[in-house]
């Protein structure tokens, strides 16, 4: 059974940092591009970043460039999103996905 | 950055057929945009229905199909069921492997 389990979310003050993790199982992790997608409360899906199979190519939506870093550890079947300089508009449910499979999401709230 | 457009809302009768579309501000959508279609119900994570234009998953009901139609990606639902009422999103890939979601289509089965 494919599982993507996100962790690391929570409440953080503006300007703060969080590191999201996604533990993958049930499929060959090294064969897939991995993606972070977010959904602000009551809003649509927003593509945030993706990373290729060996981690050598990474792409970001303009609004997070220079603040967020996507990475992966293929030995541990894990995906990460380091989020620095967080803003109120980063508040959202963050999903880890291969685009075929999805996690349940983890909530990030940026508020003072 | 490209803008991906979807119908904000559509209504279909039970048993009826409806087509949702996914257009790009850059022009014609092709298979090279690798369009995906996702279904999301309230309080749930998205679920992938169609990958890379027209590929179904084992969990994709047979009544859903993907295609390219009139310069756009399309998701056709034939024989709508009450449980198909949901929000539907498409995503397109652009050069440099950046991706953009459409704004979503709220589908009502009524």
């Amino acid at each position: 059974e494919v599982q993507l389990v996100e962790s690391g979310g929570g409440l953080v003050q503006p300007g703060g940092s969080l590191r999201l993790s996604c533990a993958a199982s049930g499929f060959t992790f090294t064969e897939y591009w991995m993606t972070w997608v977010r959904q602000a409360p009551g809003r649509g899906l927003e593509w945030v970043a993706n990373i290729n199979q060996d981690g050598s190519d990474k792409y970001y939506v303009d609004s997070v460039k220079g603040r967020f870093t996507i990475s992966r550890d293929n030995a541990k079947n894990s995906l990460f999103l380091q989020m620095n300089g967080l803003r109120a508009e980063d508040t959202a449910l963050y999903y880890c996905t291969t685009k075929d499979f999805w996690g349940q999401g983890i909530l990030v709230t940026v508020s003072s | 950055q490209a803008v991906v457009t979807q119908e904000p809302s559509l209504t279909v009768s039970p048993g009826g057929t409806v087509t949702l579309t996914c257009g790009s501000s850059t022009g014609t959508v092709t298979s090279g945009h690798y369009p995906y279609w996702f279904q999301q119900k309230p309080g749930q994570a998205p679920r992938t229905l169609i990958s890379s234009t027209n590929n179904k998953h084992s969990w994709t009901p047979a009544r859903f199909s993907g295609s390219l139609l009139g310069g756009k990606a399309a998701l056709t639902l034939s024989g709508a069921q009450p449980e198909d009422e949901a929000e539907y999103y498409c995503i397109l890939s652009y050069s440099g492997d950046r991706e953009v979601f459409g704004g979503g289509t709220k589908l009502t089965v009524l």
Side-chain angles (χ1 to χ4, degrees):
Chain A
E1 179 195 7
V2 171
Q3 283 198 313
L4 293 167
V5 181
E6 302 94 341
S7 60
L11 174 64
V12 62
Q13 293 188 339
S17 297
L18 278 177
R19 188 189 195 215
L20 303 185
S21 299
C22 172
S25 61
F27 65 102
T28 306
F29 185 69
T30 54
E31 290 183 353
Y32 285 82
W33 279 75
M34 294 299 299
T35 300
W36 287 101
V37 170
R38 68 185 178 183
Q39 188 169 35
R43 304 294 295 275
L45 301 175
E46 181 182 32
W47 176 84
V48 175
N50 64 6
I51 185 169
N52 70 342
Q53 290 87 341
D54 67 5
S56 58
D57 290 331
K58 307 172 185 183
Y59 300 92
Y60 302 90
V61 68
D62 287 347
S63 60
V64 309
K65 278 181 189 175
R67 300 189 299 123
F68 290 11
T69 302
I70 189 171
S71 62
R72 64 191 295 163
D73 183 339
N74 285 343
K76 297 182 178 179
N77 287 355
S78 294
L79 176 72
F80 306 100
L81 187 67
Q82 177 67 43
M83 305 186 294
N84 300 329
L86 283 160
R87 306 167 179 168
E89 54 265 35
D90 296 318
T91 294
L93 194 57
Y94 284 73
Y95 294 101
C96 164
T97 179
T98 68
K99 292 184 1 187
D100 294 306
F101 310 118
W102 291 75
Q104 284 304 302
I106 190 76
L107 184 62
V108 171
T109 303
V110 184
S111 175
S112 55
Chain B
Q1 179 170 304
V3 175
V4 176
T5 55
Q6 297 183 245
E7 297 84 2
S9 64
L10 290 170
T11 300
V12 61
S13 300
T17 297
V18 63
T19 297
L20 290 65
T21 67
C22 178
S24 173
S25 62
T26 62
T28 298
V29 175
T30 70
S31 58
H33 289 96
Y34 302 101
Y36 279 62
W37 289 93
F38 311 101
Q39 179 192 63
Q40 188 179 36
K41 296 182 178 179
Q44 296 184 16
R47 179 176 75 146
T48 305
L49 293 176
I50 301 290
S51 300
S52 297
T53 305
N54 56 11
N55 295 291
K56 297 183 185 184
H57 291 270
S58 58
W59 56 82
T60 305
R63 58 186 180 273
F64 288 96
S65 63
S67 65
L68 297 174
L69 192 65
K72 298 181 180 181
L75 176 71
T76 300
L77 170 57
S78 302
Q81 301 297 310
E83 60 264 32
D84 299 329
E85 188 160 293
E87 194 84 23
Y88 291 82
Y89 295 94
C90 67
I91 190 172
L92 300 178
S93 297
Y94 292 88
S95 59
D97 291 295
R98 290 164 182 81
E99 301 184 90
V100 182
F101 278 99
T105 296
K106 182 176 176 60
L107 182 66
T108 301
V109 180
L110 189 62

